[in-house]
Coordinates of all heavy atoms in Angstrom, one line a residue:
M10 N -0.1 4.2 -2.2 CA -1.3 3.5 -1.7 C -1.0 2.1 -1.6 O -0.6 1.4 -2.6 CB -2.4 3.8 -2.7 CG -3.6 2.9 -2.5 SD -4.5 3.3 -1.0 CE -6.1 3.8 -1.6
I11 N -1.2 1.5 -0.4 CA -0.9 0.1 -0.2 C -2.2 -0.6 0.0 O -3.1 -0.1 0.8 CB 0.0 -0.1 1.0 CG1 1.3 0.7 0.9 CG2 0.3 -1.6 1.3 CD1 2.1 0.4 -0.3
T12 N -2.5 -1.7 -0.6 CA -3.7 -2.5 -0.4 C -3.3 -3.8 0.3 O -2.3 -4.5 -0.1 CB -4.4 -2.7 -1.7 OG1 -3.6 -3.4 -2.6 CG2 -4.9 -1.4 -2.3
T13 N -4.2 -4.3 1.2 CA -3.9 -5.6 1.9 C -4.7 -6.7 1.3 O -4.5 -7.9 1.6 CB -4.3 -5.5 3.4 OG1 -5.6 -5.2 3.5 CG2 -3.4 -4.4 4.1
G14 N -5.8 -6.3 0.5 CA -6.6 -7.3 -0.1 C -6.4 -7.3 -1.6 O -5.3 -7.4 -2.2
D15 N -7.6 -7.1 -2.3 CA -7.5 -7.0 -3.8 C -6.7 -5.8 -4.2 O -6.7 -4.7 -3.5 CB -8.9 -6.8 -4.3 CG -9.8 -8.0 -4.2 OD1 -9.2 -9.2 -4.1 OD2 -11.0 -7.9 -4.2
P16 N -5.9 -5.9 -5.2 CA -5.1 -4.8 -5.7 C -6.0 -3.7 -6.3 O -7.1 -3.9 -6.7 CB -4.2 -5.4 -6.8 CG -4.9 -6.6 -7.2 CD -5.7 -7.1 -6.1
H17 N -5.4 -2.5 -6.2 CA -6.1 -1.3 -6.8 C -6.2 -1.6 -8.3 O -5.2 -2.1 -8.9 CB -5.3 -0.1 -6.5 CG -6.0 1.2 -6.8 ND1 -6.1 1.7 -8.1 CD2 -6.8 2.0 -6.1 CE1 -6.8 2.8 -8.2 NE2 -7.2 3.0 -6.9
P18 N -7.2 -1.2 -9.0 CA -7.4 -1.4 -10.4 C -6.2 -0.8 -11.2 O -5.8 -1.3 -12.2 CB -8.7 -0.7 -10.8 CG -9.5 -0.8 -9.5 CD -8.5 -0.6 -8.4
W19 N -5.7 0.3 -10.7 CA -4.5 0.9 -11.4 C -3.3 0.0 -11.4 O -2.6 -0.2 -12.4 CB -4.2 2.3 -10.8 CG -3.0 3.0 -11.5 CD1 -3.0 3.8 -12.5 CD2 -1.6 2.8 -11.2 NE1 -1.8 4.2 -12.9 CE2 -0.9 3.6 -12.0 CE3 -0.9 2.1 -10.2 CZ2 0.5 3.7 -12.0 CZ3 0.5 2.1 -10.2 CH2 1.1 2.9 -11.1
A20 N -3.1 -0.6 -10.2 CA -1.9 -1.5 -10.1 C -2.1 -2.7 -11.1 O -1.1 -3.1 -11.7 CB -1.7 -2.0 -8.7
T21 N -3.3 -3.2 -11.1 CA -3.6 -4.4 -12.0 C -3.3 -4.0 -13.4 O -2.7 -4.7 -14.2 CB -5.0 -4.8 -11.8 OG1 -5.2 -5.2 -10.4 CG2 -5.3 -6.0 -12.7
H22 N -3.8 -2.8 -13.8 CA -3.6 -2.3 -15.2 C -2.1 -2.2 -15.5 O -1.6 -2.6 -16.5 CB -4.3 -1.0 -15.4 CG -4.0 -0.3 -16.7 ND1 -4.5 -0.7 -17.9 CD2 -3.2 0.7 -16.9 CE1 -4.0 0.0 -18.8 NE2 -3.3 1.0 -18.3
E23 N -1.4 -1.5 -14.6 CA 0.0 -1.2 -14.9 C 0.9 -2.5 -14.9 O 1.8 -2.6 -15.6 CB 0.6 -0.2 -13.9 CG 0.0 1.2 -14.0 CD 0.3 1.8 -15.4 OE1 1.4 1.6 -15.9 OE2 -0.6 2.4 -15.9
L24 N 0.5 -3.4 -14.0 CA 1.3 -4.7 -14.0 C 1.0 -5.5 -15.3 O 1.9 -6.4 -15.6 CB 0.9 -5.5 -12.8 CG 1.6 -5.1 -11.5 CD1 0.9 -5.8 -10.3 CD2 3.1 -5.6 -11.6
S25 N 0.0 -5.2 -16.0 CA -0.3 -5.9 -17.3 C 0.8 -5.6 -18.3 O 1.0 -6.3 -19.3 CB -1.7 -5.6 -17.8 OG -1.7 -4.3 -18.3
F26 N 1.6 -4.5 -18.1 CA 2.7 -4.1 -19.0 C 4.0 -4.7 -18.5 O 5.0 -4.5 -19.1 CB 2.8 -2.6 -19.1 CG 1.6 -1.9 -19.6 CD1 0.7 -1.3 -18.8 CD2 1.3 -2.0 -21.0 CE1 -0.4 -0.7 -19.3 CE2 0.1 -1.4 -21.5 CZ -0.7 -0.8 -20.7
G27 N 4.0 -5.4 -17.4 CA 5.2 -6.1 -16.9 C 5.7 -5.5 -15.6 O 5.5 -4.3 -15.4
E28 N 6.4 -6.3 -14.9 CA 7.0 -5.9 -13.6 C 8.0 -4.7 -13.8 O 8.0 -3.8 -13.0 CB 7.7 -7.1 -12.9 CG 6.7 -8.1 -12.3 CD 6.3 -7.8 -10.9 OE1 7.0 -7.1 -10.2 OE2 5.2 -8.3 -10.6
A29 N 8.8 -4.8 -14.8 CA 9.9 -3.8 -15.0 C 9.3 -2.4 -15.2 O 9.7 -1.5 -14.5 CB 10.8 -4.2 -16.1
S30 N 8.3 -2.3 -16.0 CA 7.6 -1.0 -16.3 C 7.0 -0.5 -15.0 O 7.0 0.7 -14.7 CB 6.6 -1.2 -17.4 OG 5.9 0.0 -17.6
Y31 N 6.3 -1.4 -14.3 CA 5.5 -1.1 -13.1 C 6.5 -0.5 -12.1 O 6.2 0.6 -11.5 CB 4.9 -2.4 -12.6 CG 4.2 -2.3 -11.3 CD1 2.9 -1.6 -11.1 CD2 4.7 -2.9 -10.1 CE1 2.3 -1.6 -9.9 CE2 4.1 -2.8 -8.9 CZ 2.8 -2.1 -8.8 OH 2.2 -2.1 -7.6
W32 N 7.6 -1.2 -11.8 CA 8.5 -0.7 -10.8 C 9.3 0.5 -11.2 O 9.8 1.3 -10.4 CB 9.4 -1.9 -10.3 CG 8.6 -2.7 -9.4 CD1 8.1 -4.0 -9.7 CD2 8.2 -2.4 -8.0 NE1 7.4 -4.5 -8.6 CE2 7.4 -3.5 -7.6 CE3 8.3 -1.4 -7.2 CZ2 6.8 -3.6 -6.3 CZ3 7.8 -1.4 -5.9 CH2 7.0 -2.5 -5.5
A33 N 9.5 0.7 -12.5 CA 10.2 1.9 -13.0 C 9.4 3.1 -12.7 O 9.9 4.1 -12.3 CB 10.4 1.8 -14.5
Q34 N 8.0 3.0 -12.7 CA 7.2 4.1 -12.3 C 7.4 4.4 -10.8 O 7.4 5.6 -10.4 CB 5.7 3.8 -12.6 CG 5.4 3.8 -14.1 CD 3.9 3.5 -14.3 OE1 3.1 3.6 -13.5 NE2 3.6 3.2 -15.6
H35 N 7.5 3.4 -10.0 CA 7.7 3.6 -8.6 C 9.0 4.3 -8.4 O 9.1 5.2 -7.6 CB 7.7 2.2 -7.9 CG 8.2 2.3 -6.5 ND1 9.6 2.1 -6.2 CD2 7.6 2.5 -5.3 CE1 9.8 2.3 -4.9 NE2 8.6 2.5 -4.4
D36 N 10.1 3.8 -9.0 CA 11.4 4.3 -8.9 C 11.5 5.8 -9.3 O 12.3 6.5 -8.8 CB 12.4 3.4 -9.5 CG 12.5 2.0 -8.9 OD1 12.0 1.8 -7.8 OD2 13.0 1.1 -9.6
A37 N 10.7 6.1 -10.3 CA 10.7 7.5 -10.8 C 10.2 8.5 -9.7 O 10.7 9.6 -9.6 CB 9.9 7.7 -12.0
G38 N 9.3 8.0 -8.8 CA 8.9 8.8 -7.7 C 8.1 10.0 -7.9 O 8.0 10.9 -7.1
D39 N 7.6 10.2 -9.2 CA 7.0 11.5 -9.5 C 5.5 11.4 -9.7 O 4.8 12.3 -10.2 CB 7.6 12.0 -10.8 CG 7.5 11.1 -12.0 OD1 7.0 10.0 -11.8 OD2 7.9 11.5 -13.1
D40 N 4.9 10.3 -9.2 CA 3.4 10.1 -9.3 C 2.9 9.2 -8.2 O 3.7 8.5 -7.5 CB 3.1 9.5 -10.7 CG 1.6 9.7 -11.1 OD1 0.9 10.3 -10.3 OD2 1.3 9.3 -12.2
V41 N 1.6 9.1 -8.0 CA 1.0 8.2 -7.0 C 1.4 6.8 -7.5 O 1.4 6.5 -8.7 CB -0.5 8.4 -7.0 CG1 -1.1 7.4 -6.1 CG2 -0.8 9.8 -6.6
F42 N 1.6 5.9 -6.5 CA 2.0 4.5 -6.8 C 1.1 3.6 -6.0 O 1.0 3.9 -4.8 CB 3.5 4.3 -6.6 CG 3.9 2.9 -7.0 CD1 4.2 2.7 -8.4 CD2 4.1 1.9 -6.2 CE1 4.6 1.5 -8.9 CE2 4.5 0.6 -6.6 CZ 4.8 0.5 -8.0
Y43 N 0.6 2.6 -6.6 CA -0.3 1.6 -5.9 C 0.5 0.3 -5.8 O 1.0 -0.2 -6.8 CB -1.6 1.5 -6.6 CG -2.4 2.8 -6.7 CD1 -2.1 3.7 -7.7 CD2 -3.3 3.0 -5.8 CE1 -2.9 4.9 -7.8 CE2 -4.1 4.2 -5.8 CZ -3.8 5.1 -6.8 OH -4.5 6.3 -6.9
A44 N 0.5 -0.3 -4.6 CA 1.2 -1.6 -4.5 C 0.4 -2.5 -3.5 O -0.3 -2.0 -2.6 CB 2.6 -1.4 -4.0
D45 N 0.7 -3.8 -3.6 CA 0.2 -4.8 -2.7 C 1.0 -4.7 -1.4 O 2.2 -4.5 -1.5 CB 0.3 -6.1 -3.4 CG -0.3 -7.2 -2.5 OD1 -1.5 -7.4 -2.6 OD2 0.4 -7.8 -1.7
A46 N 0.4 -5.0 -0.3 CA 1.2 -5.0 1.0 C 2.4 -6.0 0.9 O 3.4 -5.7 1.6 CB 0.2 -5.4 2.1
A47 N 2.3 -7.0 0.1 CA 3.4 -8.0 0.0 C 4.6 -7.3 -0.6 O 5.8 -7.8 -0.4 CB 3.0 -9.2 -0.8
A48 N 4.5 -6.2 -1.3 CA 5.6 -5.5 -2.0 C 6.1 -4.4 -1.1 O 7.0 -3.6 -1.6 CB 5.1 -5.0 -3.3
L49 N 5.7 -4.2 0.1 CA 6.1 -3.1 0.9 C 7.6 -3.1 1.1 O 8.2 -2.0 1.3 CB 5.4 -3.1 2.3 CG 4.2 -2.2 2.4 CD1 3.6 -2.3 3.7 CD2 4.6 -0.7 2.1
G50 N 8.2 -4.2 1.2 CA 9.7 -4.3 1.4 C 10.4 -3.6 0.2 O 11.5 -3.1 0.5
R51 N 9.9 -3.6 -0.9 CA 10.5 -3.0 -2.1 C 10.1 -1.5 -2.2 O 10.8 -0.7 -2.9 CB 10.1 -3.7 -3.3 CG 10.8 -3.3 -4.5 CD 10.6 -4.2 -5.7 NE 11.3 -3.6 -6.9 CZ 11.3 -4.2 -8.1 NH1 10.6 -5.3 -8.2 NH2 11.9 -3.6 -9.1
A52 N 9.0 -1.1 -1.6 CA 8.5 0.3 -1.8 C 9.4 1.3 -1.0 O 9.8 1.0 0.1 CB 7.1 0.4 -1.3
A53 N 9.7 2.4 -1.7 CA 10.5 3.5 -1.1 C 9.6 4.4 -0.3 O 8.4 4.4 -0.3 CB 11.2 4.3 -2.2
S54 N 10.2 5.2 0.5 CA 9.5 6.2 1.3 C 8.8 7.2 0.4 O 9.3 7.6 -0.7 CB 10.5 7.0 2.2 OG 11.0 6.1 3.2
R55 N 7.7 7.7 0.9 CA 6.9 8.8 0.2 C 6.5 9.7 1.3 O 6.3 9.3 2.5 CB 5.7 8.2 -0.5 CG 6.0 7.2 -1.6 CD 6.5 7.9 -2.8 NE 6.9 6.9 -3.8 CZ 6.5 7.0 -5.1 NH1 5.8 8.0 -5.5 NH2 6.9 6.1 -5.9
P56 N 6.2 11.0 1.0 CA 5.7 11.9 2.0 C 4.4 11.4 2.7 O 4.3 11.5 3.9 CB 5.5 13.2 1.3 CG 6.4 13.1 0.1 CD 6.4 11.7 -0.3
V57 N 3.5 10.9 1.9 CA 2.2 10.4 2.4 C 2.1 9.0 1.9 O 2.2 8.6 0.7 CB 1.1 11.2 1.9 CG1 -0.3 10.7 2.4 CG2 1.2 12.7 2.3
V58 N 1.7 8.1 2.9 CA 1.4 6.7 2.5 C 0.0 6.4 3.0 O -0.4 6.7 4.1 CB 2.4 5.7 3.2 CG1 2.0 4.3 3.0 CG2 3.8 6.0 2.7
V59 N -0.8 5.8 2.1 CA -2.2 5.4 2.5 C -2.2 3.9 2.4 O -1.8 3.3 1.5 CB -3.2 6.0 1.4 CG1 -4.6 5.5 1.8 CG2 -3.1 7.5 1.4
V60 N -2.8 3.3 3.5 CA -2.9 1.9 3.6 C -4.4 1.6 3.6 O -5.2 2.1 4.4 CB -2.3 1.3 4.8 CG1 -2.6 -0.2 4.9 CG2 -0.8 1.6 4.9
A61 N -4.9 0.8 2.6 CA -6.3 0.4 2.5 C -6.4 -1.0 3.1 O -5.9 -1.9 2.4 CB -6.8 0.5 1.1
I62 N -7.0 -1.1 4.2 CA -7.2 -2.5 4.8 C -8.5 -3.0 4.1 O -9.6 -2.8 4.6 CB -7.4 -2.4 6.3 CG1 -6.2 -1.7 7.0 CG2 -7.6 -3.8 6.9 CD1 -4.9 -2.3 6.9
N63 N -8.3 -3.5 3.0 CA -9.4 -3.9 2.1 C -9.5 -5.4 1.9 O -10.0 -5.9 0.9 CB -9.3 -3.2 0.7 CG -8.1 -3.7 -0.1 OD1 -7.1 -4.0 0.5 ND2 -8.3 -3.7 -1.4
G64 N -9.2 -6.1 3.0 CA -9.3 -7.6 2.9 C -7.9 -8.2 3.2 O -7.1 -7.5 3.8
G65 N -7.7 -9.4 2.8 CA -6.5 -10.1 3.1 C -6.5 -10.6 4.5 O -7.4 -10.4 5.2
S66 N -5.4 -11.3 4.8 CA -5.4 -11.9 6.1 C -5.0 -10.9 7.2 O -4.5 -9.8 6.9 CB -4.3 -13.0 6.1 OG -3.0 -12.5 6.1
E67 N -5.3 -11.2 8.4 CA -5.0 -10.4 9.6 C -3.5 -10.2 9.6 O -3.0 -9.1 9.9 CB -5.5 -10.9 10.9 CG -7.0 -10.8 11.0 CD -7.5 -9.4 11.0 OE1 -7.1 -8.6 11.8 OE2 -8.4 -9.1 10.2
E68 N -2.8 -11.3 9.3 CA -1.3 -11.3 9.4 C -0.8 -10.2 8.4 O 0.2 -9.5 8.7 CB -0.8 -12.7 9.1 CG 0.8 -12.7 9.1 CD 1.3 -14.1 8.9 OE1 0.5 -15.1 9.0 OE2 2.5 -14.2 8.5
T69 N -1.3 -10.2 7.1 CA -0.9 -9.3 6.1 C -1.2 -7.9 6.5 O -0.3 -7.0 6.4 CB -1.6 -9.6 4.8 OG1 -1.2 -10.9 4.3 CG2 -1.2 -8.6 3.7
A70 N -2.4 -7.6 7.0 CA -2.8 -6.3 7.4 C -1.9 -5.8 8.6 O -1.4 -4.7 8.6 CB -4.2 -6.2 7.8
V71 N -1.8 -6.6 9.6 CA -1.0 -6.2 10.8 C 0.4 -6.0 10.4 O 1.1 -5.1 10.9 CB -1.1 -7.3 11.9 CG1 -0.2 -7.1 13.0 CG2 -2.6 -7.3 12.5
G72 N 1.0 -6.8 9.6 CA 2.4 -6.7 9.1 C 2.6 -5.4 8.3 O 3.7 -4.9 8.3
A73 N 1.6 -5.0 7.5 CA 1.8 -3.9 6.7 C 1.9 -2.5 7.4 O 2.6 -1.6 7.0 CB 0.6 -3.8 5.7
L74 N 1.2 -2.4 8.6 CA 1.1 -1.2 9.3 C 2.5 -0.6 9.7 O 2.8 0.5 9.5 CB 0.1 -1.2 10.4 CG -1.4 -1.4 9.9 CD1 -2.3 -1.6 11.1 CD2 -1.8 -0.2 9.0
P75 N 3.3 -1.4 10.4 CA 4.6 -0.9 10.9 C 5.5 -0.5 9.7 O 6.2 0.5 9.8 CB 5.2 -2.0 11.8 CG 4.2 -3.0 11.9 CD 3.0 -2.8 11.0
T76 N 5.5 -1.3 8.7 CA 6.3 -1.0 7.6 C 5.9 0.2 6.9 O 6.7 1.1 6.5 CB 6.4 -2.2 6.6 OG1 6.8 -3.4 7.3 CG2 7.3 -2.0 5.4
A77 N 4.6 0.3 6.7 CA 4.0 1.6 6.1 C 4.4 2.8 6.9 O 4.7 3.8 6.3 CB 2.5 1.4 5.9
L78 N 4.4 2.7 8.2 CA 4.7 3.8 9.0 C 6.2 4.2 8.8 O 6.5 5.4 8.7 CB 4.5 3.4 10.5 CG 4.8 4.5 11.5 CD1 3.9 5.8 11.3 CD2 4.6 4.0 12.9
T79 N 7.1 3.3 8.6 CA 8.4 3.6 8.3 C 8.6 4.3 6.9 O 9.6 5.0 6.7 CB 9.4 2.4 8.4 OG1 9.1 1.5 7.4 CG2 9.3 1.8 9.8
R80 N 7.7 4.0 6.0 CA 7.8 4.5 4.6 C 7.1 5.9 4.5 O 7.3 6.6 3.6 CB 7.1 3.6 3.6 CG 7.7 2.2 3.6 CD 9.1 2.2 3.1 NE 9.6 0.9 2.7 CZ 10.2 0.1 3.6 NH1 10.4 0.4 4.8 NH2 10.6 -1.1 3.2
A81 N 6.3 6.3 5.5 CA 5.6 7.5 5.5 C 6.4 8.7 6.0 O 6.7 8.7 7.2 CB 4.3 7.4 6.2
G82 N 6.8 9.6 5.2 CA 7.7 10.7 5.6 C 7.0 11.6 6.5 O 7.5 12.1 7.5
A83 N 5.7 12.0 6.2 CA 5.0 13.0 7.0 C 3.7 12.5 7.5 O 3.2 12.9 8.6 CB 4.8 14.3 6.1
L84 N 3.0 11.6 6.7 CA 1.7 11.3 7.1 C 1.3 9.8 6.7 O 1.6 9.4 5.6 CB 0.7 12.2 6.4 CG -0.8 12.0 6.6 CD1 -1.2 12.3 8.1 CD2 -1.6 13.0 5.8
L85 N 0.7 9.1 7.6 CA 0.3 7.7 7.3 C -1.3 7.8 7.5 O -1.7 8.2 8.5 CB 0.9 6.7 8.2 CG 0.3 5.3 8.1 CD1 0.6 4.7 6.8 CD2 0.8 4.4 9.3
I86 N -2.0 7.4 6.5 CA -3.4 7.3 6.5 C -3.8 5.8 6.4 O -3.4 5.1 5.5 CB -4.1 8.1 5.4 CG1 -3.7 9.6 5.5 CG2 -5.6 7.9 5.4 CD1 -4.0 10.4 4.3
V87 N -4.6 5.3 7.3 CA -5.1 4.0 7.3 C -6.6 4.0 7.1 O -7.3 4.6 7.9 CB -4.8 3.2 8.6 CG1 -5.2 1.8 8.6 CG2 -3.3 3.3 8.9
C88 N -7.1 3.3 6.0 CA -8.5 3.3 5.7 C -9.0 1.9 5.8 O -8.3 0.9 5.5 CB -8.7 3.7 4.2 SG -8.0 5.4 3.9
G89 N -10.2 1.8 6.3 CA -10.9 0.5 6.4 C -11.9 0.5 7.6 O -12.2 1.5 8.1
D90 N -12.3 -0.7 7.9 CA -13.3 -0.8 9.0 C -12.6 -0.4 10.3 O -11.7 -1.0 10.7 CB -13.8 -2.3 9.1 CG -14.7 -2.6 10.2 OD1 -15.4 -1.7 10.6 OD2 -14.6 -3.7 10.7
P91 N -13.2 0.6 11.0 CA -12.6 1.1 12.2 C -12.4 0.0 13.3 O -11.4 0.0 14.0 CB -13.5 2.2 12.7 CG -14.3 2.6 11.5 CD -14.3 1.4 10.6
Q92 N -13.4 -0.9 13.4 CA -13.3 -1.9 14.4 C -12.1 -2.9 14.1 O -11.4 -3.3 15.0 CB -14.6 -2.7 14.5 CG -15.7 -1.9 15.1 CD -17.1 -2.6 15.1 OE1 -17.3 -3.5 14.3 NE2 -17.9 -2.3 16.1
R93 N -12.0 -3.2 12.8 CA -10.9 -4.1 12.5 C -9.5 -3.4 12.7 O -8.6 -4.0 13.3 CB -11.0 -4.5 11.0 CG -9.9 -5.5 10.6 CD -10.1 -6.0 9.2 NE -9.1 -7.0 8.8 CZ -8.7 -7.2 7.6 NH1 -9.3 -6.6 6.6 NH2 -7.8 -8.1 7.4
I94 N -9.4 -2.1 12.4 CA -8.2 -1.4 12.6 C -7.9 -1.3 14.0 O -6.7 -1.5 14.5 CB -8.2 0.0 11.9 CG1 -8.3 -0.2 10.4 CG2 -7.0 0.8 12.3 CD1 -8.7 1.1 9.6
N95 N -8.9 -0.9 14.8 CA -8.7 -0.8 16.3 C -8.2 -2.1 16.9 O -7.3 -2.2 17.8 CB -9.9 -0.3 17.0 CG -10.2 1.2 16.8 OD1 -9.3 1.9 16.4 ND2 -11.4 1.6 16.9
A96 N -8.8 -3.2 16.4 CA -8.4 -4.5 17.0 C -7.0 -4.9 16.6 O -6.3 -5.4 17.4 CB -9.4 -5.6 16.4
M97 N -6.6 -4.5 15.4 CA -5.2 -4.8 15.0 C -4.2 -4.0 15.8 O -3.1 -4.4 16.1 CB -5.0 -4.5 13.5 CG -5.6 -5.5 12.6 SD -5.2 -5.3 10.9 CE -6.2 -3.8 10.5
L98 N -4.6 -2.7 16.0 CA -3.6 -1.8 16.7 C -3.7 -2.0 18.2 O -2.8 -1.5 19.0 CB -3.9 -0.4 16.3 CG -3.7 0.0 14.9 CD1 -4.2 1.4 14.6 CD2 -2.3 -0.2 14.5
G99 N -4.8 -2.6 18.7 CA -5.0 -2.7 20.1 C -5.3 -1.4 20.9 O -5.0 -1.3 22.0
A100 N -5.9 -0.5 20.1 CA -6.2 0.8 20.7 C -7.4 1.4 20.0 O -7.6 1.1 18.8 CB -5.0 1.7 20.7
G101 N -8.0 2.4 20.6 CA -9.1 3.1 19.9 C -8.5 4.2 19.1 O -7.8 5.1 19.6
V102 N -8.7 4.2 17.8 CA -8.1 5.2 16.9 C -9.2 6.0 16.3 O -10.2 5.5 15.9 CB -7.2 4.5 15.8 CG1 -6.7 5.6 14.9 CG2 -6.1 3.8 16.4

């Protein structure tokens, strides 16, 4: 789960234990992982990637989508305001 605005509460909680522990959970790959769009470069592929367009700049949101698509093995789900998503993609989705 990638967020473009405020981090998911789980990510905030897990980061309170430190970056090393947080990313060790990601690297284990055996559970759902929540990350900020800014960390997409470090995130590995997963069968399903969910992007929550929950704020943040247009640049962050627009930049997250192509990278998230490359990380999604089977399915990419984009959640948020449909008008905002359509405007970013330049198409009716």
